[in-house]
Amino acid sequence: MRLRSWKARSKRALVAASLMTTVVAGTAGWAVGNEQQPLTGPPPGTGSWRADHALGMRLPDPATASPARIAAFFDSLTPTQRRELLVRHPSVVGNLDGAPVALRYEANSLSLRAGRARERARSTDPDLTPQDHERARSLVARYDELLAPGRQILAFDPRGRGQVAEVFGDVTKAQHVSVVVPGSDIDLSNFDRAKDEYGTPAGMARSLHTTAGDRTAVIAWVGYTTPVGLGPDAATGRLAEAGAPRLARFTQGLTASGAPRPAVFCHSYGSVVCGLAAPRLSASDLVVFGSPGMRADSVSDLHTSARVWAAKDDSDWIDRVPSVELFGLGHGEDPTSSAFGARRIPAERAQGHTGYLAPGTDSLRTFARIADGDHSPVDNRPTGARS
């Protein structure tokens, strides 16, 4: 009997995996040649940081020191010592989870200015190609935008496709903090694009902050290498596995620097990252929307103390992707299914895969309640139930 049951489950999984491949290929085609190499390890400039003994002490290793250790280290420094490290190692300080938030803003401003100067020089370098010149001019414009007055850049790493985190509100004074984790096709160049605004982490974060109010700060976090297109990277957990420790460390750094435990909002492939990071996340709430799965069969499999919420609107194309994980392909149970056990978030007014934080939607209104610390369930029915 057990053998027949196992064979039946395996057969259903194989059929579902085949169907998932067909759906993805039929929707947009496999993104051939777009396999991404994940950015891992400590911040750029770590080698120089490790070799710096100018303060008469060994600096904590960014690769091994916990965010709590980093926070304690900076607490032990004088303002002058902090500034010395900021000026000598802006790329490390600006990306060091646990370092003071205001210091990271200033460090990233220095890094962006240095990057802009470097790319300006490259844009007219006669030894470079016209394509190199065009790329350099594009980066100069990008850095100009990020250096605009009022922008708060909590992380900036130009390596690869580039990573960034931007804050909306005042993290140091907010009673509540939220983090938005994006899905595929997001990087330094487009995390705040005007087109499809509410499909970008910056647009989502800005909308959530506006709706939740000033008691809540919201961070758009692009701290992992996202998949490009609907190809093998999007269908497997490889990039999510590389990104999960980075997300966990980022949330730990927030709490180590004095912020409250954040609510983490995870869109699309970002929910795969959040699912894998869940046991180590310093989070009050874990909210997934437009999710292909979290690499877990149920909330209990996430091994988290955070409240888990899920939303999916009926017009979201992600609903056509079968809920299966087999031989590394697919991401498991639908978080909005009754079997998964997450708290249901209404999303009847959301449209498509990127409309969950559009103004006027029931999903945004509920997200804002969660972000603002309202922990009461919005609906006591099991997820997936219909009235």
Side-chain angles (χ1 to χ4, degrees), residues 248-261:
R249 185 178 178 87
F250 181 76
T251 61
Q252 293 163 11
L254 290 175
T255 55
S257 61
R261 285 197 304 157

Side-chain angles (χ1 to χ4, degrees), residues 133-307:
H133 293 163
E134 178 60 30
R135 168 66 174 164
R137 287 192 293 269
S138 175
L139 286 173
V140 168
R142 170 82 289 207
Y143 297 164
D144 276 338
E145 293 169 348
L146 296 177
L147 284 165
R151 299 195 77 166
Q152 302 177 123
I153 306 303
L154 189 59
F156 164 67
D157 189 338
R159 296 176 297 176
R161 288 160 48 208
Q163 298 185 356
V164 64
E166 182 172 12
V167 177
F168 299 85
D170 189 339
V171 171
T172 62
K173 296 180 180 179
Q175 297 180 38
H176 309 285
V177 173
S178 293
V179 177
V180 175
V181 181
S184 299
D185 300 302
I186 298 295
D187 54 37
L188 178 65
S189 69
N190 63 10
F191 85 102
D192 56 350
R193 64 179 183 263
K195 182 180 179 181
D196 189 24
E197 176 183 2
Y198 303 112
T200 69
M204 293 179 189
R206 185 183 297 107
S207 180
L208 183 59
H209 175 251
T210 299
T211 306
D214 290 336
R215 297 198 314 166
T216 298
V218 186
I219 304 168
W221 181 80
V222 187
Y224 81 104
T225 303
T226 67
V228 172
L230 293 173
D233 278 347
T236 65
R238 183 177 65 91
L239 295 181
E241 289 165 0
R246 299 173 74 84
L247 175 61
R249 185 178 178 87
F250 181 76
T251 61
Q252 293 163 11
L254 290 175
T255 55
S257 61
R261 285 197 304 157
V264 183
F265 292 81
C266 318
H267 178 234
S268 194
Y269 188 86
S271 65
V272 186
V273 179
C274 291
L276 293 174
R280 293 163 289 174
L281 277 183
S282 178
S284 62
D285 295 85
L286 190 54
V287 184
V288 300
F289 50 107
S291 173
M294 301 180 72
R295 296 256 152 174
D297 290 332
S298 67
V299 167
S300 62
D301 288 341
L302 295 174
H303 303 290
T304 179
S305 61
R307 287 168 289 269

Side-chain angles (χ1 to χ4, degrees), residues 57-83:
M57 64 181 78
R58 177 174 294 179
L59 305 182
D61 189 342
T64 59
S66 69
R69 169 74 179 93
I70 297 295
F73 168 73
F74 276 96
D75 284 344
S76 73
L77 300 179
T78 66
T80 298
Q81 290 174 321
R82 289 186 181 189
R83 177 149 294 278

Side-chain angles (χ1 to χ4, degrees), residues 176 215-216 285 307 309 343 365-378:
H176 309 285
R215 297 198 314 166
T216 298
D285 295 85
R307 287 168 289 269
W309 309 74
R343 304 184 185 200
R365 183 170 61 251
T366 306
F367 289 173
R369 286 176 56 186
I370 296 169
D372 196 37
D374 183 350
H375 300 145
S376 60
V378 297

